[in-house]
Amino acid sequence: MTRTTVHLAVYDTFADWETGYTTAHLTQNGYTVRTVAATTEPVTTMGGLRVQPDLALDELRPEESALLVLTGAALWDSGDELAPFARRARAFLDAGVPVAAICGATAGLAREGLLDDRAHTSAVSFYLAATGYAGGARYVDADAVTDGGLVTAGPTEPVALAREVFRLLGVYDEKKLDAWYRLFHDSDPGAYEVLAG
């Protein structure tokens, strides 16, 4: 049976705009998005929204998920508070379940060693280099990068992150995926015809 539950990690200061395309279009295509936090206490996004998590991180099981999504947050760069989310990402990847990370979450994965042997991207190479990770030679200057089951993207690329997630999960065929990206990234009105067809 195909798993259709996607887990979105939420924590104080998470960048709520970075996964809007991903979660909205997955939901429109038969997926259920559940939020997961360190505890089930509400968190406040960078945009000031309060989110009531669906489950606590210690309840999250890779075998019950199609994907784990990690957003950026100020907390990724201010200590180890979010390190448990990077460790859970390792458990997902080890179990063959995909992970998508954008912005500061890429630094968390770098600190966890998850980018040492995988092609990846982020905001800029020196942002990740500051983590002391060993994967600098695998850094790719691109909007988003997929290597195996791991998608990474920089903070200005929420549409590219979504594109890679949709490709990984098989949400759209390549023709529709290209049209979707052209519509939402390039504001190409010609893409409507392909998506409607």
Side-chain angles (χ1 to χ4, degrees), residues 45-167:
T45 72
M46 202 175 288
L49 303 177
R50 283 177 55 87
V51 176
Q52 179 68 54
D54 293 312
L55 71 158
L57 187 60
D58 62 5
E59 301 173 290
L60 180 61
R61 304 285 178 266
E63 62 271 16
E64 297 172 356
S65 187
L67 173 75
L68 173 63
V69 182
L70 302 172
T71 69
L75 291 176
W76 284 112
D77 297 320
S78 62
D80 294 330
E81 186 174 340
L82 299 185
F85 289 92
R87 287 193 293 274
R88 190 53 53 103
R90 177 181 291 284
F92 266 62
L93 292 169
D94 288 348
V97 181
V99 172
I102 186 168
C103 191
T106 61
L109 297 186
R111 288 184 195 96
E112 181 64 20
L114 294 174
L115 305 184
D116 289 352
D117 300 314
R118 292 177 174 92
H120 59 276
T121 195
S122 185
V124 289
S125 60
F126 57 82
Y127 171 65
L128 291 184
T131 69
Y133 84 130
R138 303 297 309 269
Y139 186 88
V140 180
D141 188 12
D143 57 5
V145 172
T146 301
D147 187 341
L150 178 63
V151 176
T152 52
T156 60
E157 299 296 343
V159 178
L161 176 81
R163 177 196 66 210
E164 294 302 303
V165 165
F166 302 157
R167 178 176 286 131

Side-chain angles (χ1 to χ4, degrees), residues 10-11 36-41 43 53 55-58 81-82 84-85:
V10 295
Y11 18 75
V36 57
T39 70
T40 55
E41 291 298 310
V43 299
L55 71 158
L57 187 60
D58 62 5
E81 186 174 340
L82 299 185
F85 289 92

